Amino acid sequence: MKIYADTYYHIYNRGNNKDLIFFEDENYRYFLNQFKKYVAPFCSVYAYCLMPNHFHFFLSVDDEQLFEKGMKNFMISYSKAINKKYNRVGSLFQGRYKVSEIASESYFTRIITYIHQNPLVAGLVKNMEDYKYSSFAAYLSNKETLISKQGVLDWFGGLDGFVNDHKMSVEDLEMEKYLKI
């Protein structure tokens, strides 16, 4: 998919053969630092979640050429570092990262809750705010972050709406499990 400036995207990928891409806490931090170095200058990030074998970013692109080059350098730098550290060879990721354009406002809110709920659905935590490698906790904090928080909070009608919508979506997930939908 061609990337365009001023457009919203869900960017994601997983480990080759669904294998791990993060092996220890240091890997998650390094991944985010490399993202900040190579990609963040060319986009606005609204949500992210790093799972043991995959990742998600919801963002808008400022400059498509610099973004694409940054993503390429980011993915290569992370893969090389992991392969070197863990004495691996071959592809870390399942091909090039995947891209889905997010074109509707209702999908904006849904993709954000979907991304933040990944650790909950996978059973890694009981509360979204407890997961260290997601942007959810950044919305609840006053600490500096790479997340463009205000635009997202506006979509949800403020912090209370943001939190309530995430809780409501979790309740929907629980109901779906119960009903086996």
Side-chain angles (χ1 to χ4, degrees), residues 24-116:
E24 57 185 292
D25 283 346
E26 179 185 319
N27 302 151
Y28 292 93
R29 288 189 294 275
Y30 183 75
F31 185 88
L32 287 173
N33 284 334
Q34 294 302 93
F35 180 86
K36 194 173 183 179
K37 175 181 176 182
Y38 287 109
V39 183
F42 313 113
C43 65
S44 295
V45 180
Y46 305 106
Y48 72 85
C49 186
L50 312 182
M51 297 292 285
N53 72 343
H54 68 281
F55 68 84
H56 299 272
F57 287 96
F58 173 47
L59 49 79
S60 62
V61 174
D62 299 329
D63 181 307
E64 62 264 18
Q65 290 177 333
L66 293 174
F67 176 82
E68 291 270 22
K69 182 178 180 182
M71 279 298 292
K72 180 180 177 182
N73 291 335
F74 161 57
M75 300 295 283
I76 289 170
S77 73
Y78 183 74
S79 296
K80 280 184 175 181
I82 291 297
N83 282 353
K84 182 177 180 180
K85 180 171 176 117
Y86 298 100
N87 201 26
R88 293 180 79 259
V89 293
S91 178
L92 178 64
F93 293 101
Q94 186 176 305
R96 185 181 185 270
Y97 60 93
K98 313 297 184 283
V99 179
S100 295
E101 184 177 341
I102 308 301
S104 74
E105 285 194 31
S106 63
Y107 201 14
F108 292 173
T109 55
R110 185 64 202 121
I111 196 68
I112 291 168
T113 56
Y114 166 79
I115 288 171
H116 289 150

